[in-house]
Amino acid sequence: MLILNKTAGVFFKPSRRKIYAFLGSFHFHPGKLFLHKLVLGIETSCDDTAAAVVDEAGNVLGEAVHSQTEVHLKTGGIIPPVAQQLHRENIQRIVQEALSASEVSPSELSAVATTIKPGLALSLGVGLSFSLQLVDQFKKPFIPIHHMEAHALTIRLTNKVEFPFLVLLISGGHCLLALVRGVSDFLLLGKSLDIAPGDMLDKVARRLSLIKHPECSTMSGGKAIEHLAKQGNRLHFDFQPPMQRAKNCDFSFSGLQHVIDKMIMQKEKEEGIEQGQVLSSAADIAAAVQHTVACHIAKRTHRALLFCKQRGFLHQSNAVLVVSGGVASNLYIRKALEIVTNATQCTLLCPPPRLCTDNGVMIA
Ligand code: KG4
Ligand code: ZN
């Protein structure tokens, strides 16, 4: 186990001077009155350029996002310098759109919050240098944000969730299980030892050439697998969930991906088709892959829930599991997790899909 980040909260009675400074931070305009502090959140850690303005009470005043998915689908994956260039081309417009939608000017902001880690260095750099310029120009405080902590806490915008709770983050770049004990108090229980589940699903979808499938051409790999799986029979293939004997809460997806690759190669030989054409058994493979990934994720999460309950880390009667990230939008995987939470008397919560994926709101 590893402590992700722990900052002790210090509580004290504010002085009169601090109270006046606090009241002075509210903005009064003729015809426009903000009773709350306003934070601009900026996210560029991967392939989404996103910004949002959120007030102190968690109200989203405005947001904007530019997704690079279409470009990366064509190149068969994210090429960091391409992602960097697209962030550079869009960041000014996206921030402006978020501010305009909020009817807020930069001078009315209380602070600018920006993802500083983890993520692609070239992508993070664009958001960071844009933000530093902005805070310098308008003399605003800067709040550095840990991307995973933002994902983990997003649920508190839509649901009343008390600490502690267990969070499962599953996306193209993330795979972790953590106990959330406070706003910046996380206990990492498990993580992927290699690639994230979304990355694996994207690779399998590319290997199956699903971009050439008429129903899947504009879908991300994970979404294409979920879509095709509905038409397939998972029992036609038998893939084993990884790490069945590992007595921890870690994940692994690359071994499974290699087994699937080999199976696809064998099927191509059997069907007498070249790599790059869609197999007639693609839907069956998609169904079996999705089932195996769901089993693996559910089993590791089950271990984490039992561990937390045994140690008294989670409430015995109303423990909460929060699942977020792009892969959390998969309904089959959610169903598998629901089986686990029902069996352990826990509540399963997922933010709405637009807040599961990378966005500016969670940063703000
Ligand atoms: O959170 P996200 O938008 O970006 C990051 O990776 O941070 O997640 C994108 C990932 C991609 O790998 C995509 O294939 C996967 O989420 N994904 C899905 C589904 N929709 C998106 N995976 C499984 N089922 C889905 N319906
Ligand atoms: Zn993310």
Side-chain angles (χ1 to χ4, degrees):
M1 282 189 300
L2 201 109
I3 307 287
L4 253 190
N5 188 1
K6 190 175 178 183
T7 318
V10 181
F11 295 97
F12 55 89
K13 196 164 178 284
S15 66
R16 190 176 288 259
R17 187 178 57 78
K18 282 203 171 112
I19 292 172
Y20 284 135
F22 175 70
L23 290 173
S25 69
F26 292 133
H27 307 283
F28 297 94
H29 290 259
K32 196 155 108 179
L33 175 67
F34 296 124
L35 288 177
H36 299 288
K37 291 190 173 186
L38 305 172
V39 175
L40 167 67
I42 297 179
E43 158 63 37
T44 64
S45 67
C46 188
D47 59 345
D48 291 309
T49 317
V53 178
V54 174
D55 74 12
E56 211 176 355
N59 299 307
V60 180
L61 303 192
E63 61 180 308
V65 57
H66 173 263
S67 167
Q68 305 176 357
T69 306
E70 221 174 285
V71 176
H72 299 312
L73 265 179
K74 282 189 196 130
T75 52
I78 298 174
I79 300 167
V82 174
Q84 178 191 39
Q85 183 55 29
L86 291 169
H87 282 306
R88 280 188 181 141
E89 286 169 15
N90 290 289
I91 190 154
Q92 171 105 38
R93 175 179 64 82
I94 289 299
V95 169
Q96 190 50 54
E97 275 180 28
L99 288 169
S100 305
S102 321
E103 297 185 34
V104 167
S105 68
S107 60
E108 290 167 328
L109 294 169
S110 306
V112 176
T114 303
T115 309
I116 56 151
K117 67 177 180 184
L120 300 173
L122 293 179
S123 294
L124 285 165
V126 178
L128 184 59
S129 61
F130 182 89
S131 305
L132 293 180
Q133 248 176 305
L134 197 67
V135 296
D136 186 51
Q137 187 183 349
F138 293 94
K139 304 285 170 265
K140 299 291 173 188
F142 176 68
I143 308 174
I145 300 292
H146 190 291
H147 183 83
M148 310 306 280
E149 292 186 359
H151 266 307
L153 297 171
T154 304
I155 192 72
R156 284 161 56 87
L157 273 179
T158 53
N159 297 65
K160 206 175 170 314
V161 186
E162 301 294 338
F163 299 117
F165 59 87
L166 186 70
V167 69
L168 168 69
L169 297 180
I170 40 176
S171 71
H174 326 304
C175 182
L176 64 82
L177 270 164
L179 181 70
V180 188
R181 298 185 290 206
V183 169
S184 55
D185 184 358
F186 290 75
L187 182 68
L188 185 65
L189 298 173
K191 59 182 183 336
S192 175
L193 302 176
D194 35 66
I195 57 175
D199 190 10
M200 184 215 135
L201 293 172
D202 291 341
K203 284 179 169 136
V204 171
R206 273 205 296 280
R207 185 61 188 80
L208 284 170
S209 304
L210 296 188
I211 199 161
K212 293 193 184 147
H213 193 290
E215 291 166 27
C216 306
S217 59
T218 58
M219 293 179 187
S220 69
K223 195 161 174 48
I225 297 273
E226 181 177 26
H227 178 79
L228 268 196
K230 290 185 193 129
Q231 307 161 20
N233 183 345
R234 70 175 174 83
L235 299 174
H236 287 181
F237 292 91
D238 185 22
F239 303 121
Q240 288 304 306
M243 300 181 74
Q244 303 222 55
R245 284 163 199 236
K247 293 198 176 353
N248 56 39
C249 302
D250 288 333
F251 302 81
S252 169
F253 295 93
S254 61
L256 176 62
Q257 188 216 318
H258 288 303
V259 172
I260 297 163
D261 275 359
K262 268 173 107 178
M263 172 66 79
I264 294 172
M265 209 187 302
Q266 190 186 322
K267 277 277 141 197
E268 282 169 347
K269 264 192 205 148
E270 279 174 30
E271 291 191 17
I273 65 166
E274 295 283 317
Q275 182 172 336
Q277 291 174 276
V278 182
L279 283 166
S280 68
S281 50
D284 294 339
I285 296 174
V289 168
Q290 177 178 253
H291 178 74
T292 314
V293 168
C295 283
H296 180 45
I297 291 173
K299 284 181 180 187
R300 312 314 286 170
T301 307
H302 190 207
R303 282 187 68 86
L305 277 171
L306 292 179
F307 172 79
C308 288
K309 282 204 153 192
Q310 271 168 12
R311 296 285 174 107
F313 289 168
L314 285 173
H315 299 296
Q316 287 302 326
S317 55
N318 57 347
V320 171
L321 169 68
V322 171
V323 185
S324 192
V327 179
S329 53
N330 184 294
L331 296 182
Y332 192 89
I333 293 173
R334 278 196 196 191
K335 199 89 205 131
L337 288 165
E338 219 172 272
I339 294 170
V340 168
T341 48
N342 286 341
T344 46
Q345 287 88 46
C346 296
T347 306
L348 174 66
L349 294 177
C350 303
R354 75 182 172 84
L355 293 179
C356 272
T357 53
D358 291 350
N359 62 84
V361 174
M362 70 179 194
I363 307 303

